[in-house]
Amino acid sequence: MKKSYHDLIDVSKLSGGLLLRGLLPFYVLSLLAKKKMYGKQIIDHITNMTRGSWKPSPGSIYPMLQKMVKLGLVTQHLENTGGQSTRVYELTGLGREALKDMRKEIKPRLEKTIQLLSYHLQELEKD
């Protein structure tokens, strides 16, 4: 049953990973800083990192990776895994610098977002 406020706000999107989607480049670079990976591994790791709240689609991961390759943040090469060729991605020195810069920029923004969300949670708990 549709509630009267559904025309104003889609509450289903609040936990649907909207904030997390904005962090996709950070997640990808962070994972590749740990080890080289192929696309499916990246998707699986992000799904686990978000405790299943969000599973990025191949349609968001692979274009992001290609953009990162073009920018020189990531390299790609083919590896033979289990009898088939798999495209593997690896972080470059430039990618490590970008990740450092992202951390500096994202942290204060997330802290501010958390403060704002905490305020809203408190407001929602009021009668």
Side-chain angles (χ1 to χ4, degrees):
M1 180 175 177
K2 186 174 177 178
K3 309 256 185 198
S4 59
Y5 59 83
H6 283 187
D7 289 332
L8 299 173
I9 185 172
D10 184 353
V11 293
S12 68
K13 289 184 179 179
L14 293 176
S15 62
L18 291 176
L19 175 63
L20 302 176
R21 286 185 189 108
L23 294 173
L24 181 60
F26 175 73
Y27 280 144
V28 171
L29 293 179
S30 294
L31 289 169
L32 292 176
K34 295 175 186 169
K35 67 178 188 174
K36 61 184 179 178
M37 295 184 182
Y38 54 92
K40 173 112 172 58
Q41 284 178 309
I42 293 170
I43 291 170
D44 291 344
H45 276 78
I46 291 173
T47 304
N48 289 335
M49 285 168 50
T50 62
R51 298 181 184 143
S53 295
W54 177 51
K55 180 179 181 175
S57 70
S60 61
I61 289 293
Y62 290 105
M64 174 69 60
L65 287 166
Q66 289 308 307
K67 187 172 186 176
M68 289 178 170
V69 168
K70 279 185 181 179
L71 293 171
L73 305 176
V74 170
T75 60
Q76 65 180 2
H77 62 276
L78 294 177
E79 277 188 9
N80 190 356
T81 55
Q84 66 182 21
S85 291
T86 305
R87 192 173 312 269
V88 177
Y89 300 91
E90 196 167 359
L91 198 62
T92 65
L94 187 59
R96 288 187 192 287
E97 287 300 315
L99 179 58
K100 245 192 269 189
D101 291 344
M102 281 179 144
R103 287 181 198 277
K104 288 178 190 171
E105 188 171 335
I106 289 172
K107 186 176 185 239
R109 290 173 185 250
L110 281 180
E111 287 170 344
K112 189 173 184 179
T113 301
I114 289 167
Q115 289 172 351
L116 184 59
L117 291 174
S118 293
Y119 168 78
H120 289 299
L121 280 173
Q122 290 171 2
E123 286 297 311
L124 288 170
E125 290 174 354
K126 293 179 179 177
D127 287 349

